[in-house]
Amino acid sequence: MRVSRLVLHPTAEKRLDGFLASPAHAVLFGGPAGTGKVQLAHAAALELLGGKEAHLRTVTAVGESIGIEQIRELNGFFALKVPGTAAVKRVVIIEDAERMGTEAQNALLKLLEEPPADAVLILTSSQPERLLPTIRSRLQKLHLPAPTPADLQKHFAEAGHNEAVVSAALLRAGTSVAAAERILVAGTDAPDTAVQLVKQALGGTAYDRLLLVDALSKQKEELRTFVDTLATVAMASLEAAVGKGAASVSRWKDVLQAAHTAQNALSQSGNAKLVLTELMLEL
């Protein structure tokens, strides 16, 4: 499958082509955060449906989670009669499927046990280990690796960005295409607020970091962006630290682990202020 606006790892493209040639009833698009899994899921769905968007349903989190009623409503969608002889007549995408609570996952399991005919269910997740084993066992798994640094460099350079600016953006964003795009769109003269906050947190004292807690914990989107950016900066710094000394590697491993812990807690509707306070103390 060719998607002009997305950059894909060669392995990811081959796996997607294989899935589209012989789609399973239910598939999991897994892979690192920020690598375009949701966009790929939508592109794949429209290709399966021949572009018929009316036959596509998307489920996203309401607030911090996907509830049981959202999953139950899919029964009505799958029950719709769609004329024609197409092999796939309806597609549902569940974005960030790890945000489903236990009840929602159990409701989904009932659908997977008796998959509707002529339909495909696509789940995307950066943390598939949070899905029930009984759900994972019923899904075709497509791990979509992050694009290579060389492919990302080429992709953004061909989009008209200065090569040096792209290199700097990728150092900050790691393998996250979304984070790199956010930095590049901000422009070289406009500071990326999330990156600046991460630098402030990493370079300050524990007291300085705790001063950021009140303001950030009241803005959920900014908080999530801050934590995600911290994780991508930590990953890029960890990769750069390899071979430069065990102390530096250990430091960035600890930061990355703290960021992942915070991401997990936030996705489970954890108390934002408490999660952020614990994160700042870990840094």
Side-chain angles (χ1 to χ4, degrees), residues 32-61:
T35 51
K37 294 183 297 300
V38 170
Q39 293 93 325
L40 290 173
H42 281 267
L46 289 176
E47 188 150 337
L48 289 171
L49 292 169
K52 298 175 182 176
E53 292 189 39
H55 299 161
L56 170 63
R57 175 72 58 86
T58 301
V59 179
T60 60

Side-chain angles (χ1 to χ4, degrees), residues 170-182:
L170 293 178
L171 180 62
R172 296 152 81 185
T175 58
S176 172
V177 181
E181 286 180 339
R182 186 172 64 246

